[in-house]
Amino acid sequence: MQRTQFGGMACSIARTLDVIGEPWSPLILRDVWAGMNRFDQIQADLGVSRKVLTERLNHLVEQGVLDRRPYDARPRFEYHLTEKGTDLVEMLMVMARWGDRWLAGEAGPPVLYRHHACGRIATVDPRCSHCGEPMHADDVDLLPGPGSAR
């Protein structure tokens, strides 16, 4: 099936979806962030076919989200987050917060996040980069940016 390309749209959300907008890529990034860096580890955790995993890993490397590093004399590689990939993990943490709130049910969240700076269990809370106040959907106005389609 042909996948719709969003990269040419004048929308940062659409462009991000062009990189990670199918279901396996965010889960692959989650696994690499959690320390599963080898193909077989990721494949075993996700249960995804080898073909699909190979395609997704290649795409994420091409997009500069993951870095491929050899770890064996045979052509075997480990995958590591790049700076671009680490930024995407922050978005995944916000997605996890939403899932914990709306989908976790009585069992509660499947994963807890301990903040290195204070050692406490916390959730992600987007803040304004200028004043530090919470920045949620009702707290902002959308204005045309320099890259907008006028």
Side-chain angles (χ1 to χ4, degrees):
M1 174 170 33
Q2 186 76 6
R3 196 171 150 244
T4 301
Q5 300 297 311
F6 297 107
M9 295 176 107
C11 172
S12 294
I13 295 170
R15 291 173 182 161
T16 301
L17 287 172
D18 205 45
V19 176
I20 62 159
E22 51 71 50
W24 292 114
S25 291
L27 298 175
I28 292 166
L29 293 176
R30 176 205 63 192
D31 277 7
V32 171
W33 178 50
M36 291 178 241
N37 300 100
R38 296 183 178 182
F39 185 98
D40 291 338
Q41 294 171 314
I42 300 166
Q43 201 269 332
D45 186 59
L46 297 178
V48 62
S49 75
R50 296 180 71 80
K51 177 184 183 296
V52 169
L53 182 56
T54 298
E55 289 171 357
R56 297 321 309 150
L57 286 168
N58 287 339
H59 176 75
L60 293 168
V61 169
E62 289 166 9
Q63 293 296 316
V65 172
L66 292 179
D67 184 36
R68 180 185 290 129
R69 301 176 193 164
Y71 73 87
D72 197 343
R74 297 174 284 176
R76 292 189 177 209
F77 302 94
E78 289 184 335
Y79 296 88
H80 297 270
L81 294 168
T82 62
E83 182 180 359
K84 197 174 180 180
T86 300
D87 272 358
L88 280 170
V89 168
E90 293 175 14
M91 181 201 54
L92 296 179
M93 291 171 64
V94 172
M95 288 175 66
R97 179 182 140 200
W98 184 90
D100 291 348
R101 178 174 180 191
W102 298 104
L103 304 172
E106 299 215 8
V111 174
L112 300 175
Y113 300 91
R114 182 176 38 233
H115 186 227
H116 289 177
C118 68
R120 304 286 304 261
I121 302 299
T123 60
V124 174
D125 185 20
R127 302 249 165 203
C128 175
S129 61
H130 292 284
C131 70
E133 288 295 312
M135 195 167 152
H136 302 291
D138 293 339
D139 301 324
V140 299
D141 294 319
L142 302 178
L143 306 172
S148 70
R150 306 232 179 239

